[in-house]
Amino acid sequence: MSRRRGLAGIVLLLAVTTAGCESGSPPSPDAGATGTAVPSASSRSAPSDDPHSSAGPWTGACPAERAAPDPDRPVVDVDFSLSDDGRTVTGSESVVFTPDLPTGELVFRLVPNGPGSSEKGNRLTVDRVRGDDVTRGHYEPAAAGPPGGRYVLPLTRRLAAGESTEVLLDFTLALGEGAFDRVGTADGASWWASGAPLLAWEPGVGWAHDPFAGLLGETAISPAADTTLSVEVPAGMTVLMTGDQAEPSAPRDGRRTWTSSEPAARDVSVAAGDFTTAETIVDGVRVTAGVLPAGNDGGDGAETRAQALTDATAAALTALVDRFGAFPYRTLTVPQLTILGGGIEYPSSILLLGPPAGVLVHEVAHMWFYGMVGNSQFRDPWMDEAFASYAESVVTPVDPPAVATVVARAGDVGASMEEFPSNGSYVTAVYGKGAAMLLAAREAAGAAAFDAAVRCYVDARAWAIATPTDVATALAGLPAARDVLVAAGALDVDDLPG
Ligand SMILES: [Zn+2]
């Protein structure tokens, strides 16, 4: 996620050579949302004999090709239905879960109940659960608003590693007043991202019981899942969401159903409204941007604004592909809402809250960092936010003296979400210093060698949940770069391979 003014970290850091940040904005945070994401393989049956899957530890060898999603990843199907007044989503979520470690429960994170979001009237409740191995679950407060921030579903039998269970959760999501958030309704549009119970499993580790943080940033962790979505909305609404979308159904009783599929998504985003859309194909990816009639970019007509947003997204995508390799998804949707604040990344979809300037490249970069290469957003927030902020440099001129100044500041880039006392300290360390650290590391190692190492990391850890050790492994042959990350507090000696 990126709050416009939150970009102050990197933008100010590069202010010597750029236009600087938005005027009139307090130097406050950036933050979080959730994103999640997935691969370009198609359909839900990934080849189980694929010789190169992202499951398992990375030894450091640069893969000949990008890792495929885990063939045993969760299979998630979610049906959403938006009420005619746009304020309530009812849904049902089917999950087929195959743990790689033994477990006796399922744990879901209820992101809309987190601090900040719940206070705006957003609320996610689980109404009913079904499945051969479950009876009833319970909420855990986890410092979230009612009914709680996690939903724990005990299993009536213990699953062995590799053994599957299927559960169905019916849920209700109340959408609060629109704000810079993942969930809300405003000006005739409704949007919900992280709007369904989110499977909180970290392969190789187990369930994430992380608390929520009082900061404007994401705290989720979730595996890439083979995902299918169905969204029923009033017939006059257009849906832009995660996944490769099919044409909507014909109107029936004043309603239409939109569907999509994404073979590897950690989370999903849905926006419904009177969107005017424009579309283009770039680097084999279908980019679709949508704008609302109210207009939030001046006096241009909706078609002009939609086309401009599509073109800007396509340009960002191309610049990032040049640096980080193939785009992770077949499609990318960018619904622009009337609420202001910044951008929030999701697998193959970006909620744009306000104008794209200053946040679009960052959010598109999250498709690689968090969407494809996952991380614990609670434990290691820098692993997606520092990389996404660093990635802005593909279009933003870099001023080495300014970078050196920022990277020398106090603060550990690698701190967890509970270690930052304020939004300001979080943004300064993770976004600003984190980006500067990676720029300085690139300078120290040489651009070509550093870019090659990052590509190896991206390809090796695609669709997995990466750790700081993976970054240290990627930089093992570039000690000058690795030393920069150690000095900045992103890596410690325990992360270093060997
Ligand atoms: Zn971000």
Side-chain angles (χ1 to χ4, degrees):
M1 174 182 221
S2 187
R3 189 179 268 273
R4 266 202 84 142
R5 30 230 185 257
L7 280 183
I10 184 65
V11 173
L12 284 180
L13 117 76
L14 300 172
V16 176
T17 53
T18 66
C21 63
E22 206 175 13
S23 61
S25 300
S28 74
D30 185 294
T34 43
T36 316
V38 185
S40 57
S42 53
S43 104
R44 28 189 62 233
S45 48
S48 58
D49 57 349
D50 189 304
H52 181 54
S53 163
S54 56
W58 179 35
T59 58
C62 191
E65 59 187 45
R66 185 174 284 172
D70 182 352
D72 291 328
R73 66 192 179 284
V75 178
V76 173
D77 294 284
V78 190
D79 294 346
F80 295 108
S81 178
L82 177 67
S83 63
D84 285 339
D85 69 2
R87 296 186 166 276
T88 306
V89 177
T90 52
S92 81
E93 176 178 13
S94 155
V95 176
V96 177
F97 176 62
T98 310
D100 59 315
L101 300 170
T103 186
E105 64 181 5
L106 303 183
V107 178
F108 295 87
R109 195 167 185 84
L110 309 180
V111 174
N113 301 342
S117 193
S118 63
E119 291 147 17
K120 299 180 190 94
N122 302 310
R123 178 175 297 196
L124 178 58
T125 53
V126 178
D127 304 316
R128 183 184 179 203
V129 297
R130 283 167 280 170
D132 292 342
D133 303 319
V134 298
T135 50
R136 57 182 300 182
H138 60 274
Y139 295 98
E140 290 184 340
R150 294 188 299 258
Y151 189 76
V152 178
L153 198 48
L155 298 172
T156 53
R157 68 184 175 107
R158 193 166 174 79
L159 291 181
E163 203 174 0
S164 300
T165 191
E166 179 171 7
V167 298
L168 189 67
L169 294 88
D170 295 334
F171 60 89
T172 302
L173 173 65
L175 307 182
E177 287 303 319
F180 178 52
D181 203 348
R182 303 162 186 81
V183 173
T185 180
D187 297 323
S190 298
W191 64 96
W192 59 98
S194 300
L198 195 56
L199 199 64
W201 180 259
E202 182 175 6
V205 176
W207 296 110
H209 288 271
D210 299 319
F212 286 81
L215 307 178
L216 267 173
E218 295 90 354
T219 54
I221 182 170
S222 47
D226 191 349
T227 301
T228 304
L229 301 177
S230 169
V231 182
E232 188 197 274
V233 296
M237 286 182 147
T238 292
V239 169
L240 291 171
M241 60 180 159
T242 291
D244 189 353
Q245 294 185 216
E247 289 296 315
S249 68
R252 184 176 173 185
D253 298 330
R255 314 270 297 172
R256 282 195 297 181
T257 299
W258 300 68
T259 58
S260 76
S261 65
E262 193 59 85
R266 302 180 192 284
D267 200 346
V268 300
S269 172
V270 180
D274 185 12
F275 287 111
T276 296
T277 62
E279 196 170 289
T280 190
I281 307 279
V282 60
D283 292 314
V285 179
R286 191 175 78 236
V287 173
T288 309
V291 302
L292 293 166
N296 34 26
D297 263 348
D300 292 337
E303 290 181 9
T304 301
R305 290 185 288 115
Q307 189 62 54
L309 181 54
T310 298
D311 293 345
T313 305
L317 190 154
T318 294
L320 291 162
V321 164
D322 286 347
R323 177 68 64 87
F324 300 114
F327 189 72
Y329 308 96
R330 297 163 291 175
T331 59
L332 177 62
T333 57
V334 187
Q336 183 177 14
L337 305 169
T338 55
I339 296 291
L340 301 179
I344 309 178
E345 71 281 6
Y346 280 85
S348 67
S349 192
I350 294 166
L351 288 174
L352 188 60
L353 294 99
V359 299
L360 191 57
V361 175
H362 178 102
E363 307 307 340
V364 177
H366 272 305
M367 300 300 143
W368 284 264
F369 301 106
Y370 162 71
M372 186 173 74
V373 180
N375 61 295
S376 167
Q377 296 173 312
F378 177 83
R379 187 182 61 216
D380 306 309
W382 73 276
M383 291 188 60
D384 61 311
E385 295 299 355
F387 272 97
S389 298
Y390 157 76
E392 296 172 33
S393 64
V394 301
V395 298
T396 306
V398 174
D399 180 61
V403 167
T405 299
V406 175
V407 82
R409 287 179 184 160
D412 280 347
V413 171
S416 74
M417 290 298 278
E418 65 185 348
E419 294 174 286
F420 293 107
S422 65
N423 275 317
S425 61
Y426 161 66
V427 171
T428 299
V430 172
Y431 291 68
K433 183 173 175 176
M437 167 193 79
L438 293 168
L439 290 168
R442 186 173 189 251
E443 178 76 19
F450 186 79
D451 292 351
V454 171
R455 277 211 195 198
C456 290
Y457 163 69
V458 164
D459 288 344
R461 302 311 284 152
W463 313 118
I465 290 174
T467 66
T469 300
D470 292 324
V471 177
T473 299
L475 299 179
L478 302 174
R482 204 175 64 179
D483 289 350
V484 174
L485 272 65
V486 172
L491 303 178
D492 63 36
V493 290
D494 294 336
D495 298 323
L496 307 183

